Amino acid sequence: AAKQMGRDRFAFYHPEMNAKHLEILTLESSMRDALNRTEFFVEYQPKIDIHKNKIVGAEALVRWRHPKEGVLLPGRFIPIAEETGLISSIGLWVLQDVCQTVKRWQDSGMPEMNVAINISGVELVRPNSVQRIMDVIEKTQVDPSWLEFEITETTLIKDGDIVKLAIQHFKRHGITIALDDFGTGYSSLGVLTQYDIDTLKIDHAFTSGILAKDAKYESVIVAMITLAHSMDMKVVAEGVETKYQQAFLTDQGCDVMQGFLFSPAVAADVLETLIRNGR
Ligand code: C2E
Ligand code: MG
Ligand code: MG
Ligand code: MG
C-alpha cells in the first residue's frame, strides 16, 4: 500500500519541480549546442604573491555567453554538466583553450607563471580521461610546468584511488596539483599524507570567517597554514575581499592570495596587460 501511495504521489503535478526540471533540460540541450557554437569562454583571476607584491599566476574560470540569458557563471551549469556527463567535453574544451593561451604567453616571452585549471572529479574518473588530457597538452605544445590542476577535496574523498594514479601521472609531466575548497569536504587531515599535493587552497568560507573577525575561523586558518607548510605545500587563500583579511593572512605566512580585493576574473589579454605593466 505504501508503495502504491508513493507511486501515486509522483502522478501529482508539482509546478516547482517541473520548472526546475525544465530549466535543467533546456540548459542541457543548449549546452550541447554551446560547445559547437563556442559560447563558452575562459577568464583568468590573478593570484598574487603578497610578499613579492606581484601576480604569480591565475585561475582559469569558465563562463557561458548564453544567447538568451547573458553570461552565466559556472555555478549555473557545471553541476548540470556533471550530472549529464557533458563535463568531459566542456572540461577538454576549457583545457585546450587555456593551453593555447598559455602557449601563446610562453612564446611571447611572458615571465613564467602558474595557471590553474579546475578538473571535475566526474571528468577525472571517466575511462581514458588522463590520456585525453595529456593529448591536449601534447597537441598544443604548451610547457606543462606552467599548469596546475585543481582537484576538490570532495573528489579526493570520493574517488581516492583513481585520483591518486591520475595525480601521479600529471606530476610526472611537471603539472602541479592544488587541493581546492580545502576544509569543506570533511576529510580527515590524514588524507593529505596520501597524495602528492603541491598547493592547498583555503576555501572562501574560511576567508570570510576572518571578515567577521571570528577567532574560531582565524585559528582554523592558522592551523591550515601551519599544516600545509609542514608538509611542504604552498597555501593559496581564496575569496580575499578586505584589507583586514589580507593583513591577517600575510601575518600568518599565507603565500598567495586570490580575491575581489585584488581583481575578479578578467579576459586573457587584460591579465597579460596587468602582468606586463608590473601589477
Ligand atoms: P573555485 O574553483 O573555488 O573558484 C573560485 C570562485 O570564487 C570563482 O567563482 C571566483 O570568481 C570566485 N571568487 C573569486 N574571488 C572571490 C571573492 O573575493 N569573493 C567571492 N565571493 N568569490 C570570489 P566562479 O567563477 O563562479 O566559479 C565557481 C566554481 O565553478 C569554481 O569554484 C569551480 O569549482 C567551478 N569551475 C569554474 N570553472 C571551471 C572549469 O573550467 N571546470 C570545472 N570543472 N569547474 C569549474
Ligand atoms: Mg578552483
Ligand atoms: Mg611550475
Ligand atoms: Mg575553491
Side-chain angles (χ1 to χ4, degrees), residues 112-115 143-148 174-176:
E112 173 162 4
M113 58 172 167
N114 179 280
V115 181
D143 173 356
S145 71
W146 285 38
L147 303 180
E148 181 157 88
I175 300 163
T176 56

Side-chain angles (χ1 to χ4, degrees), residues 236-274:
V236 177
E238 296 190 296
V240 180
E241 292 179 349
T242 69
K243 286 273 180 203
Y244 180 79
Q245 292 169 335
Q246 178 191 331
F248 177 82
L249 289 160
T250 307
D251 284 349
Q252 301 308 324
C254 175
D255 306 284
V256 174
M257 296 180 206
Q258 189 183 331
F260 296 157
L261 177 64
F262 310 102
S263 170
V266 295
D269 56 331
V270 175
L271 178 72
E272 193 176 333
T273 309
L274 286 176

Side-chain angles (χ1 to χ4, degrees), residues 6 27 53 94 108 188 210 213 252:
L27 278 183
N53 192 29
V94 169
S108 69
S188 78
I210 312 174
K213 306 195 181 184
Q252 301 308 324

Side-chain angles (χ1 to χ4, degrees), residues 119-187:
I119 308 280
S120 159
V122 178
E123 181 184 350
L124 208 53
V125 301
R126 291 204 139 190
N128 303 322
S129 65
V130 171
Q131 196 48 54
R132 274 196 283 250
I133 288 170
M134 294 315 301
D135 283 348
V136 171
I137 289 171
E138 223 161 86
K139 278 202 189 103
T140 54
Q141 294 183 296
V142 67
D143 173 356
S145 71
W146 285 38
L147 303 180
E148 181 157 88
F149 286 165
E150 295 194 0
I151 297 167
T152 65
E153 187 189 7
T154 316
T155 298
L156 272 200
I157 300 165
K158 245 184 91 214
D159 299 293
D161 290 343
I162 297 174
V163 176
K164 188 184 279 182
L165 288 173
I167 289 177
Q168 284 167 359
H169 193 98
F170 296 143
K171 290 204 50 110
R172 274 202 297 276
H173 288 84
I175 300 163
T176 56
I177 305 293
L179 190 56
D180 204 358
D181 302 344
F182 184 69
T184 63
Y186 308 103
S187 66

Side-chain angles (χ1 to χ4, degrees), residues 4-211:
Q4 187 61 44
M5 258 176 69
R7 196 179 299 154
D8 285 348
R9 276 218 337 250
F10 292 105
F12 285 111
Y13 178 64
H14 291 291
E16 262 172 52
M17 234 172 96
N18 275 356
K20 185 77 202 153
H21 194 60
L22 193 67
E23 190 202 321
I24 291 174
L25 285 178
T26 312
L27 278 183
E28 184 194 341
S29 72
S30 47
M31 230 185 294
R32 292 180 196 281
D33 298 334
L35 270 170
N36 301 323
R37 297 187 194 138
T38 11
E39 289 168 5
F40 293 111
F41 64 101
V42 178
E43 288 188 322
Y44 296 82
Q45 184 174 38
K47 292 191 289 187
I48 288 90
D49 181 323
I50 287 305
H51 308 287
K52 294 184 194 147
N53 192 29
K54 66 176 229 199
I55 299 173
V56 288
E59 176 173 9
L61 296 159
V62 67
R63 277 88 181 81
W64 178 5
R65 193 172 285 107
H66 192 283
K68 292 205 193 79
E69 301 202 40
V71 173
L72 301 184
L73 293 176
R76 271 291 287 291
F77 59 91
I78 290 286
I80 301 171
E82 289 184 328
E83 257 173 60
T84 59
L86 216 57
I87 188 66
S88 297
S89 314
I90 296 175
L92 286 174
W93 184 87
V94 169
L95 178 69
Q96 172 169 317
D97 196 72
V98 173
C99 287
Q100 284 167 347
T101 300
V102 173
K103 169 72 175 154
R104 194 155 42 73
W105 285 338
Q106 289 172 341
D107 288 348
S108 69
M110 280 256 281
E112 173 162 4
M113 58 172 167
N114 179 280
V115 181
I117 302 167
N118 293 283
I119 308 280
S120 159
V122 178
E123 181 184 350
L124 208 53
V125 301
R126 291 204 139 190
N128 303 322
S129 65
V130 171
Q131 196 48 54
R132 274 196 283 250
I133 288 170
M134 294 315 301
D135 283 348
V136 171
I137 289 171
E138 223 161 86
K139 278 202 189 103
T140 54
Q141 294 183 296
V142 67
D143 173 356
S145 71
W146 285 38
L147 303 180
E148 181 157 88
F149 286 165
E150 295 194 0
I151 297 167
T152 65
E153 187 189 7
T154 316
T155 298
L156 272 200
I157 300 165
K158 245 184 91 214
D159 299 293
D161 290 343
I162 297 174
V163 176
K164 188 184 279 182
L165 288 173
I167 289 177
Q168 284 167 359
H169 193 98
F170 296 143
K171 290 204 50 110
R172 274 202 297 276
H173 288 84
I175 300 163
T176 56
I177 305 293
L179 190 56
D180 204 358
D181 302 344
F182 184 69
T184 63
Y186 308 103
S187 66
S188 78
L189 293 177
V191 95
L192 291 177
T193 62
Q194 291 163 38
Y195 301 87
D196 200 354
I197 294 160
D198 303 276
T199 307
L200 204 72
K201 294 197 82 173
I202 297 179
D203 191 72
H204 178 232
F206 293 95
T207 313
S208 38
I210 312 174
L211 180 68

